[in-house]
Amino acid sequence: MMQDDERWMREAIAIARSKGSDPSTSPLGCVIVLDGKMIAGERNQTHELPDATAHAEMMAIRRACEDTGELELRGATLYSTLQPCGMCTMASIWSKVGRVVYGAGRDDVHPMYFEAKHVDTLAFINDAYRDDIVIEGGCLKAECAVLYYGPDAELPTDEQANL
């Protein structure tokens, strides 16, 4: 981890909590930092829009590209309160983000937050089209994990996404 990682992850946590902290709403937060400046900060907006692709990371990548006028985010770091799903991992790869830092990992939260087949996005990045992307997990892991249902939480099946 780098010196400012906790600072930027705290920003992502604040954004995740900006509309409340009920774990049923998947309060994910994401910030993108380039040259020491936050160029985008977004939260999960799937229910509000409604748009299944409106994950925090997707929204932040869109905003960063719009605001910079660039298709590629080379040199940028994406901070996410939760390990990115497969879609967000691919968006990170295609947008040329240089580094992804996440807080809680898939083993720290309920399985409902990940794809039902449990695709290992970390292994996917290792086999990705690029070899210049770095992914690091566990930044403020405990603070991020409390945003979500725990791994063993008993939830009604009809309230569980992705299952």
Side-chain angles (χ1 to χ4, degrees):
M1 296 284 163
M2 296 183 145
Q3 186 175 2
D4 285 337
D5 287 347
E6 288 187 4
R7 170 188 171 204
W8 295 117
M9 187 60 72
R10 288 188 201 291
E11 289 285 336
I13 291 169
I15 289 168
R17 290 185 173 145
S18 66
K19 286 287 188 175
S21 56
D22 180 352
S24 68
T25 64
S26 299
L28 277 80
C30 177
V31 299
I32 298 178
V33 176
L34 181 64
D35 297 328
K37 295 180 190 169
M38 186 170 80
I39 59 171
E42 294 289 337
R43 61 180 176 74
N44 189 24
Q45 299 174 47
T46 54
H47 293 289
E48 294 95 320
L49 290 182
D51 178 352
T53 68
H55 291 194
E57 299 94 335
M58 298 290 289
M59 299 301 291
I61 289 169
R62 288 178 188 143
R63 178 81 57 227
C65 290
E66 288 170 2
D67 289 355
T68 63
E70 299 291 333
L71 179 66
E72 297 182 353
L73 299 171
R74 290 188 189 272
T77 300
L78 180 148
Y79 294 88
S80 180
T81 56
L82 187 60
Q83 179 181 332
C85 70
M87 174 181 66
C88 295
T89 297
M90 281 305 301
S92 297
I93 291 167
W94 283 105
S95 65
K96 310 282 192 295
V97 167
R99 191 166 165 254
V100 175
V101 177
Y102 67 87
R106 68 181 317 119
D107 295 332
D108 303 316
V109 299
H110 195 276
M112 72 175 262
Y113 297 106
F114 290 92
E115 297 84 358
K117 298 220 184 238
H118 304 290
V119 174
D120 184 351
T121 56
L122 301 180
F124 185 81
I125 284 180
N126 289 331
D127 296 330
Y129 305 102
R130 315 174 26 219
D131 60 3
D132 61 342
I133 188 170
V134 174
I135 188 161
E136 299 177 61
C139 182
L140 300 180
K141 175 170 71 170
E143 291 178 48
C144 291
V146 298
L147 295 168
Y148 313 104
Y149 290 120
D152 300 320
E154 293 184 24
L155 307 170
T157 304
D158 62 339
E159 292 182 22
Q160 297 181 41
N162 297 323
L163 296 179

